[in-house]
Amino acid sequence: MKESNRIAGNVFQIQRWSVHDGDGIRSTVFLKGCPLRCKWCANPESWNPNPEILYFRDRCIGCAQCSLACNHQAIPMDGGIPLSFSREKCCCCGDCCEVCPNGAKKMIGSLMTVEEVIKILKRDSIFYRESKGGVTFSGGEPFAQSEFLREMILACKRLAIDTAVETSGFFEWEDAEDIVKELDTVFIDIKHMDEQVHKRLTGVSNRKILENVIRISQNHHDLIIRVPLISGVNDDRNNIEQMCQFLQENTRILGVELLPYHPLGSSKMSALDREGWEIFNAPDAEKVEHIKKIIAEYEIQNIDFK
């Protein structure tokens, strides 16, 4: 049997002093790997469960240090100038990232044990305590690394650290039920109520997600629904009312948090050599207020951690 503190997970960022991912001052642990492919994703580097390298070509100064450091012919040169970056040949050792003087290459993701992550989180334990904050697990999809997530939450609980999870809701309930019951707060996205639209925008059906919203509500008293608001996509009255009716008829939740779209993922999609990103717009402030009024009409609380 594995010792719990030796179980490892792929972590791509630990953000300290986070104030938008739950109550109080928090640390947000971002886990790599996600089954969704949202066309507006702010963290496309979280999709692949394995470590990978971001290559920001506009930052490259042509010094060729990365090519000289690479022992796998992933960065060929011509006349002393790096020609390209071959992801097929790259083994993600990170040597090129370490020698890059301008941050053009950046390693994303590393295996960390429960013990290693807890050591970092404990640095801010006094701030969690004083602000009634804690630790939030995000991603990617945290439940995609269910074994690691389970042990992380239990380790936090032993230290009396409040825990929350931000999830897409796309996971097998049998793998997550016991984890959900240990959490202090659950955030789950509802991106669109129409199954076909949801599938076109995210790559997956919303059926499992909505089923898990109901299950979590039945097993947890602190559930918050998050809606990534995108102009012309899911901010129309019909979609918002369908969501409110579903929540009113099937769940018990703390409320709904609206998250207007932002284009943070566009540069990272390019740096990962991926396609599929689309440019969207956030609804204006007047539209957001209108949506809040619709939600309030259904006697559902609007929640804002900003």
Side-chain angles (χ1 to χ4, degrees):
M1 180 181 295
K2 293 182 180 178
E3 294 182 29
S4 63
N5 63 358
R6 302 309 300 173
I7 293 174
N10 197 332
V11 178
F12 72 91
Q13 185 182 6
I14 299 178
Q15 180 178 301
R16 299 170 68 191
W17 290 85
S18 175
V19 293
H20 302 306
D21 297 323
D23 290 324
I25 296 171
R26 310 187 73 81
S27 293
T28 304
V29 180
F30 293 88
L31 304 184
K32 223 167 176 311
C34 184
L36 275 65
R37 295 294 179 265
C38 302
K39 293 183 180 296
W40 58 81
C41 183
N43 295 321
E45 72 275 29
S46 72
W47 294 357
N48 188 335
N50 303 308
E52 56 192 331
I53 290 175
L54 291 171
Y55 178 26
F56 297 98
R57 289 168 176 79
D58 59 330
R59 300 180 191 174
C60 180
I61 59 175
C63 68
Q65 292 302 307
C66 57
S67 185
L68 295 172
C70 180
N71 294 315
H72 303 277
Q73 291 77 51
I75 314 172
M77 286 197 302
D78 181 24
I81 304 295
L83 281 178
S84 60
F85 174 45
S86 171
R87 293 191 180 275
E88 291 72 22
K89 294 181 179 179
C90 177
C91 70
C92 289
C93 64
D95 290 348
C96 60
C97 302
E98 292 181 9
V99 299
C100 180
N102 211 38
K105 288 188 171 68
K106 181 180 179 181
M107 173 67 79
I108 297 294
S110 62
L111 286 177
M112 299 183 69
T113 65
V114 173
E115 185 178 37
E116 288 170 332
V117 178
I118 287 293
K119 185 176 181 180
I120 295 172
L121 299 179
K122 285 171 67 175
R123 297 174 189 171
D124 294 325
S125 57
I126 187 172
F127 302 111
Y128 308 149
R129 188 163 58 249
E130 293 297 323
S131 69
K132 297 183 180 180
V135 175
T136 301
F137 296 92
S138 188
E141 172 48 62
F143 285 104
Q145 297 189 53
S146 58
E147 183 183 24
F148 180 67
L149 178 63
R150 179 181 292 106
E151 295 303 329
M152 280 299 317
I153 289 167
L154 292 176
C156 286
K157 190 170 184 178
R158 287 192 289 270
L159 295 169
I161 297 175
D162 179 278
T163 57
V165 157
E166 297 175 338
T167 174
S168 69
F170 195 83
F171 54 76
E172 298 301 327
W173 177 247
E174 294 73 18
D175 297 333
E177 181 177 4
D178 65 314
I179 303 175
V180 168
K181 291 178 179 179
E182 295 292 343
L183 289 161
D184 293 292
T185 307
V186 179
F187 298 91
I188 185 168
D189 285 3
I190 292 184
K191 297 176 172 68
H192 207 288
M193 292 301 295
D194 185 280
E195 182 181 7
Q196 294 306 313
V197 174
H198 191 282
K199 192 169 184 177
R200 176 172 60 81
L201 293 170
T202 71
V204 303
S205 165
N206 64 358
R207 287 188 182 181
K208 184 180 293 185
I209 294 168
L210 297 179
E211 289 171 359
N212 282 336
V213 168
I214 295 172
R215 291 185 180 115
I216 293 172
S217 170
Q218 293 170 342
N219 287 273
H220 205 286
H221 62 283
D222 283 351
L223 171 62
I224 296 172
I225 302 299
R226 279 183 162 171
V227 182
L229 276 183
I230 304 166
S231 182
V233 174
N234 65 352
D235 63 342
D236 59 282
R237 186 178 188 95
N238 181 56
N239 183 64
I240 299 300
E241 286 193 336
Q242 282 190 43
M243 179 190 72
C244 290
Q245 289 170 4
F246 165 79
L247 294 173
Q248 193 177 65
E249 294 171 5
N250 298 285
T251 71
R252 295 168 296 165
I253 62 170
L254 286 180
V256 171
E257 183 183 12
L258 303 177
L259 302 174
Y261 162 82
H262 52 71
L264 292 178
S266 58
S267 63
K268 291 185 279 189
M269 284 287 283
S270 176
L272 289 163
D273 299 312
R274 291 198 189 131
E275 299 178 351
W277 172 269
E278 292 184 19
I279 299 297
F280 296 95
N281 294 300
D284 58 31
E286 183 178 353
K287 186 64 174 286
V288 174
E289 288 305 312
H290 177 64
I291 292 171
K292 287 182 178 180
K293 288 180 181 178
I294 296 174
I295 293 171
E297 288 172 6
Y298 284 83
E299 299 182 345
I300 297 173
Q301 182 181 0
N302 284 281
I303 293 177
D304 191 348
F305 288 102
K306 296 177 182 177

